[in-house]
Amino acid sequence: MQMRIVLVKPGSLVRDAAGDILYASSSVTLIISDRILVVDTGSADERERVFDGLKRAGVSTDDIEIVVNTHLHVDHTGCNDIFRNADVLSYHTGLREGCVLAEGVSLMETPGHTLDSISVLCSENVVIAGDALPTADNYIKDLPPRIHVDRALAMRSMHRIAGIARIVVPGHGMPFSIPDGRETELA
């Protein structure tokens, strides 16, 4: 089966002039493999955008078998409740490094933003990073997430993701490529 990865809704991050976060909502990513997964569910006020994005991808909330939360901040878990048939999983439900959730879909522990941060690795070298790599600017400027519990861990996780990924789906922005001459894109 060919894996399909679809950005249901990009994440967003709005800051004031001082750089403080005024609003945040995570990216919502659909993975269709031998199972159907969603990684992060965004903020509760974006339900309609999530419904619309899934509909465009040809699935409904009832089709989703697994929801993976990269960590438990409300801007990543706000729509968990709309996935009534899904197992909602996170580090706190036992997800650890190397756990396989579907054909070609595994987990990597990426602590730093939070100690329980995980990222989803797809066999096509797409990493859905959550806030372990929250924006392309973090990668470009080699800066850790502004909010982190351990700077050294955050930087190590960010560099690990960049060393594996061809495409990164960040927690709060559009997917971006890691330049190495390879080309790929999301559906």
Side-chain angles (χ1 to χ4, degrees):
M1 166 178 253
Q2 176 90 16
M3 182 183 301
R4 187 170 157 222
I5 304 167
V6 179
L7 183 64
V8 171
K9 182 197 75 62
S12 62
L13 193 60
V14 179
R15 296 181 185 271
D16 64 15
D20 294 323
I21 297 170
L22 299 173
Y23 178 80
S25 182
S26 73
S27 299
V28 178
T29 308
L30 173 70
I31 304 169
I32 301 173
S33 181
D34 62 323
R35 302 193 72 192
I36 303 174
L37 302 85
V38 163
V39 180
D40 288 332
T41 63
S43 295
D45 63 342
E46 293 193 311
R47 290 176 192 281
E48 288 307 314
R49 289 189 68 200
V50 173
F51 284 126
D52 291 345
L54 289 170
K55 184 177 179 183
R56 281 191 309 277
V59 299
S60 76
T61 56
D62 291 340
D63 297 325
I64 307 305
E65 299 171 69
I66 299 171
V67 168
V68 176
N69 291 130
T70 58
H71 61 292
L72 298 181
H73 289 168
V74 69
D75 58 318
H76 292 258
T77 63
C79 293
N80 281 1
D81 63 307
I82 68 175
F83 298 97
R84 296 177 300 274
N85 296 333
D87 292 325
V88 179
L89 306 176
S90 70
Y91 184 88
H92 296 279
T93 64
L95 294 183
R96 295 294 186 273
E97 182 80 22
C99 284
V100 175
L101 296 175
E103 186 177 324
V105 181
S106 62
L107 296 173
M108 49 193 285
E109 293 179 35
T110 50
H113 171 64
T114 63
L115 293 177
D116 63 351
S117 289
I118 56 176
S119 296
V120 177
L121 173 62
C122 298
S123 61
E124 299 171 9
N125 295 329
V126 173
V127 175
I128 304 161
D131 287 352
L133 212 169
T135 69
D137 273 354
N138 291 94
Y139 168 72
I140 293 165
K141 296 175 182 177
D142 198 31
L143 293 172
R146 184 174 183 139
I147 299 169
H148 56 269
V149 296
D150 184 310
R151 181 183 170 83
L153 276 176
M155 292 302 294
R156 190 173 312 127
S157 291
M158 211 172 72
H159 292 153
R160 182 174 181 219
I161 291 165
I164 293 170
R166 282 191 291 179
I167 292 182
V168 174
V169 180
H172 298 284
M174 293 298 291
F176 62 93
S177 296
I178 301 290
D180 70 351
R182 296 175 290 182
E183 291 186 22
T184 190
E185 61 183 54
L186 300 182

